[in-house]
Amino acid sequence: MVSYISVSLILVGLVIIAISLLALYSSPVLIIGISLIPLGLVLMWSESSSNDPTIDLYNSWDNIALMFEELNIVRRAVYLPSNYIESGQNMALVPLTIAEGVRLTKLPLKLSVRLGVSGAGILLFTPGTKVINMCRDAGAISVGNPQTSLTSCLINHLALIKRVNLQEIHDGFRIDIAGSRLRRMYEGTIVEKILGSPIASVVASVVAEALGTPVYIDREEVMSNRRSIYIVRLPIGGG
């Protein structure tokens, strides 16, 4: 019964979004449609994944982010350390429109944010948001040292991966991990193109928090149970 209700809510939400965008051009109607999708997905998520030992890492961010599938928005998310958000949360910024020369500043905790005069973006909670909160409280984030932070947080404290190795390259880092316990919830979708895989999202969040600098995932290479994540470090202040 719960699954029927959740699917119905998702479908109704998508229909309302489509009608709002294509016919009514109404922001209130659009918001109603968007709000139904997370509700339906939360119901589905709670019923189907209650036995997943890592389910507490998946926040409602992915439910909201699925609207990008309908709106066909494909831009790499920028992972922001907590000092870039007024509430002190580690989050991801998905740029929608970018004005030339815009530099990132401390952003309010809102779904939609302005970037400069004419730019705009969407702020999302990610798997890394909760990871950073847990690791920071436990003292497992070393400021200025991403390798130590990845080891202390993801291996010693949370046991999410078995091994990690960080190599600095010309524009950022190559991070090799093995034995990830996080499953790929949205493989092959637009969401993955925006945020990367769940484990890459967590790694990017930890690196951004350790450096205090925005980063984004350039690409991922997967070989059996090993994964190489290429992370680009943005200039101080963003760009």
Side-chain angles (χ1 to χ4, degrees), residues 25-48:
Y25 306 103
S26 170
S27 296
V29 175
L30 176 63
I31 292 171
I32 291 173
I34 292 173
S35 66
L36 290 177
I37 295 176
L39 180 58
L41 286 168
V42 165
L43 288 174
M44 184 182 297
W45 167 71
S46 62
E47 180 185 47
S48 63

Side-chain angles (χ1 to χ4, degrees), residues 83-102:
N83 60 310
Y84 275 70
I85 307 297
E86 289 180 356
S87 64
Q89 301 261 37
N90 181 293
M91 300 184 72
L93 171 68
V94 181
L96 301 180
T97 57
I98 306 175
E100 191 68 27
V102 168

Side-chain angles (χ1 to χ4, degrees), residues 51-127:
N51 295 323
D52 189 333
T54 60
I55 198 62
D56 62 333
L57 294 177
Y58 299 103
N59 300 286
S60 58
W61 66 269
D62 53 2
N63 302 328
I64 298 174
L66 286 176
M67 71 181 177
F68 291 131
E69 296 273 8
E70 177 70 17
L71 303 179
N72 197 31
I73 298 170
V74 185
R75 284 185 184 272
R76 283 290 188 183
V78 176
Y79 286 85
L80 303 177
S82 57
N83 60 310
Y84 275 70
I85 307 297
E86 289 180 356
S87 64
Q89 301 261 37
N90 181 293
M91 300 184 72
L93 171 68
V94 181
L96 301 180
T97 57
I98 306 175
E100 191 68 27
V102 168
R103 298 180 68 80
L104 295 177
T105 57
K106 185 165 287 192
L107 300 173
L109 183 59
K110 297 171 59 179
L111 178 62
S112 176
V113 294
R114 278 189 168 279
L115 303 176
V117 177
S118 57
I122 292 178
L123 278 177
L124 297 175
F125 291 104
T126 73

